Amino acid sequence: MANIQQVTRRHAVVSETRHLLFSVMPGAVWILIFLVLPSLYLMAVAFMTNGAYGLPELPLSLDAFKQLAGFGFLGWSPGNLYTLLRSLWQTLVSTGLVVLVAYPIAYYITTCRTSLRPLMLLAVVVPSWTNQVIRAFGWMNLLAPGTPLSDAAQALGLIGDYMGLYPSNFAVTLGLVYNFLPFMVLPLYAAFEKLDVAQVQAAQDLYAAPVRAFWHAVFPQTLPGLLAGTVLVAIPAFGMYVIPELLGGGKGMMLGNLVANQFAGGSNWPLGAAGALLMLLATFVGLFAMRRIGKRLGGGEEVVI
Amino acid sequence: MRKRTLNRGLAGFWWLTLVFLYLPLAIVVLFSFNSTNSAANFSGFSLRWYHRLLGNDQIISAFYNSLILAIVSSIVALMIGCLIGYGMYRHRHRKLGWLIVLIYLPIVLPDIVFGISEMAFFVQFNRLTGLLEPGLGTMIIAHVTFQIPFVALIVYSRFVGLDPSLFEAAKDLYASPFKRALHFLLPTVKPALISAFFLSFTLSIDDFVISFFTAGPESATLPIYIWGAIKKGVSPEINAIATLMIGAVALAAVLSLLFNRQGRR
């Protein structure tokens, strides 16, 4: 009796394993070959020497990382460091601005009629369905020299005569805010929608001033959404390629452009790979940090991407 | 009283934000009907840029490339991703941690890192073996790779939402595995498959960065063509082709809203 059970159980385990292999393996193998392998190769490239035509060659070296820090044939130059700092700065500023715009918007949507809300969310999200190249092109049209916005900026003395608002660092910031706004509105809206109003009422009953009631009863409850939004905005913003390339001109370059130029121009693969490695590091550090903070807040699951 | 001022302020801010969101698109649409090629002022309505579009072979072929890429990659991703989604559901009890990491990897990887690692890999692979020359083939592979997780997660969440006893019931009725797949599994995941297909399709049409780095000389898609045209110096035809793409998105938005309404009823 026991024997038969054992045999059938073993049979079940074998068929389960076969089943697992059949269902999961094709995808796992695909991702291993076409994603993990290329990523590992890219990591290896970062530690190789820059050879002819910019292709990586042995021996292994740390040249690429030295170059990324600014050490070239002609001694140290701050160019790459500026690019890195600009990426960090643009990420910080645009994420902050996105929060400032998205927070009231997300709150306002929750104050509207329930039947209206999906439509309002859709209105926020629809522009981001258009290709990002087209959206950046729209801003190029709006901010070019001779357009009303540029004329107004000239009249105010913000920019010189015959100049446009684009290309500039300002245009890049604007483009980033424009691009990432929906990614902040959606998680914040979800947080506002779940808001426990009893807590706010309790605060009011205890005669808390509106600001205090907001700070102690509303803000902490929206923190998980804010955190999720920050992950969704800051990480892709740091590696942005299209917006700085189109709206920033030569002086608005970010890390993504530095990396891409090393490959597209075919000039220096190891340097580009080193930059990509840095971006990857920033991504995982960011994700890890957010996860830790999210867990401490208790809303851990929402923050997991 | 105070509350009302706050609400009015919020409403004003809401409309201002909508202007901010739609102005860049509106300007593209407006200038696509411009009768001259001035980018600064509008000087009368005309359809000349749309006429030009029809005569531009590069745009037509870019359009077909975009379409082929989106359809083929979505179908392949659908098959692979659906299997993963089912496997994830059936074998949750095992430690699938490594698989989850694999699944999430394409989502968290910055697209520029994704694009260049694929490009570097394909170029070296091509140098070594002569296979996988950059072109539609490599683009399809790259697109499938970033679509798989989305399909898998959509299918998985559909299965998780189902009553587990349904699976038992199908088994208890002595249906063969094949029959179970055909008469029970496929029909149940059909809605998930349809929405996964549309999501993959949109992701593919919308993608620029990954396509840009994995494309060959003959396989430019619409976004890549537009990018090139912008870089070379703006031609008003871009406004026209961009307007058509914006129109397609608007149509999709309206359709999704209608479907949603129907679904809730």
Side-chain angles (χ1 to χ4, degrees), chain A residues 259-285:
Chain A
V259 169
N261 291 348
Q262 305 312 319
F263 285 87
S267 49
N268 192 343
W269 278 27
L271 176 56
L277 213 58
L278 188 67
M279 216 182 277
L280 218 54
L281 196 71
T283 304
F284 286 120
V285 168

Side-chain angles (χ1 to χ4, degrees), chain A residues 98-135:
Chain A
V98 165
V99 172
L100 286 183
V101 179
Y103 206 86
I105 289 292
Y107 171 71
Y108 178 65
I109 295 177
T110 45
T111 64
C112 290
R113 262 188 302 144
T114 328
S115 58
L116 222 62
R117 291 180 200 171
L119 192 69
M120 294 173 84
L121 285 175
L122 198 68
V124 172
V125 174
V126 162
S128 70
W129 290 356
T130 321
N131 196 280
Q132 56 171 333
V133 177
I134 294 176
R135 281 178 288 145

Side-chain angles (χ1 to χ4, degrees), chain A residues 81-113:
Chain A
L81 214 59
Y82 279 149
T83 306
L84 281 179
L85 286 177
R86 194 181 300 117
S87 306
L88 276 176
W89 177 245
Q90 286 283 21
T91 306
L92 218 67
V93 171
S94 55
T95 308
L97 286 172
V98 165
V99 172
L100 286 183
V101 179
Y103 206 86
I105 289 292
Y107 171 71
Y108 178 65
I109 295 177
T110 45
T111 64
C112 290
R113 262 188 302 144

Side-chain angles (χ1 to χ4, degrees), chain A residues 13 16-17 19-20 22-39 41-42 45 55-56 100-102 104-105 107-109 111 115 118-135 137-142 145-149 174 177-178 181-182 210 235-236 239-242 245-246 256-257 259-260 263-264 269 272-273 276-277 279-280 283-284 287 304-305, chain B residues 2-3 6-7 10-11 13-15 17-18 20-25 27-28 31 39-40 76 80 83-84 86-88 90-91 93-94 96 98-99 102-114 116-124 127 132 140-142 144-145 148-149 171 202 205-209 212-213 223 226-227 230-231 234-235 238-239 241-243 245-246 249-250 252-254 256-257 261 264:
Chain A
V13 168
E16 278 279 279
T17 307
H19 184 270
L20 180 71
F22 171 72
S23 60
V24 171
M25 272 309 143
V29 169
W30 181 290
I31 293 180
L32 275 175
I33 294 179
F34 292 119
L35 189 71
V36 176
L37 204 61
S39 306
Y41 173 63
L42 195 73
V45 168
L55 289 176
L100 286 183
V101 179
I105 289 292
Y107 171 71
Y108 178 65
I109 295 177
T111 64
S115 58
L119 192 69
M120 294 173 84
L121 285 175
L122 198 68
V124 172
V125 174
V126 162
S128 70
W129 290 356
T130 321
N131 196 280
Q132 56 171 333
V133 177
I134 294 176
R135 281 178 288 145
F137 177 61
W139 279 112
M140 288 167 77
N141 283 346
L142 278 171
T147 55
L149 284 176
L174 197 67
V177 172
Y178 181 74
L181 188 60
I235 288 175
M240 198 51 168
Y241 171 65
V242 171
E245 190 78 15
L246 291 183
N257 311 88
V259 169
F263 285 87
W269 278 27
L277 213 58
M279 216 182 277
L280 218 54
T283 304
F284 286 120
L287 282 176
V304 176
I305 296 199
Chain B
R2 206 143 147 211
K3 195 154 187 189
L6 178 71
N7 250 337
L10 281 174
F13 188 67
W14 160 257
W15 288 111
T17 308
L18 279 194
F20 171 68
L21 284 172
Y22 286 89
L23 199 60
L25 303 180
I27 208 81
V28 169
F31 277 99
V76 178
I80 299 174
L83 280 176
I84 295 192
Y86 177 62
M88 275 167 73
R90 272 291 300 272
H91 302 281
H93 58 277
R94 296 190 187 214
L96 286 179
W98 54 275
L99 179 72
L102 271 192
I103 295 270
Y104 278 111
L105 203 56
I107 301 181
V108 296
L109 219 54
D111 53 1
I112 187 101
V113 179
F114 196 121
I116 57 161
S117 67
E118 302 273 293
M119 174 217 165
F121 174 72
F122 287 141
V123 167
Q124 282 296 11
R127 271 159 52 101
L132 287 183
I140 289 172
I141 291 176
V144 168
T145 312
I148 285 176
K171 243 187 206 170
T202 358
I205 289 277
D206 202 42
D207 171 72
F208 166 73
V209 172
F212 182 62
F213 287 103
I226 295 173
W227 171 269
I230 294 174
K231 285 261 160 183
V234 171
S235 132
I238 307 174
N239 286 313
I241 181 71
T243 300
M245 290 177 81
I246 293 170
V249 166
V254 171
S256 99
L257 199 69
R261 281 254 166 93
R264 230 176 296 138

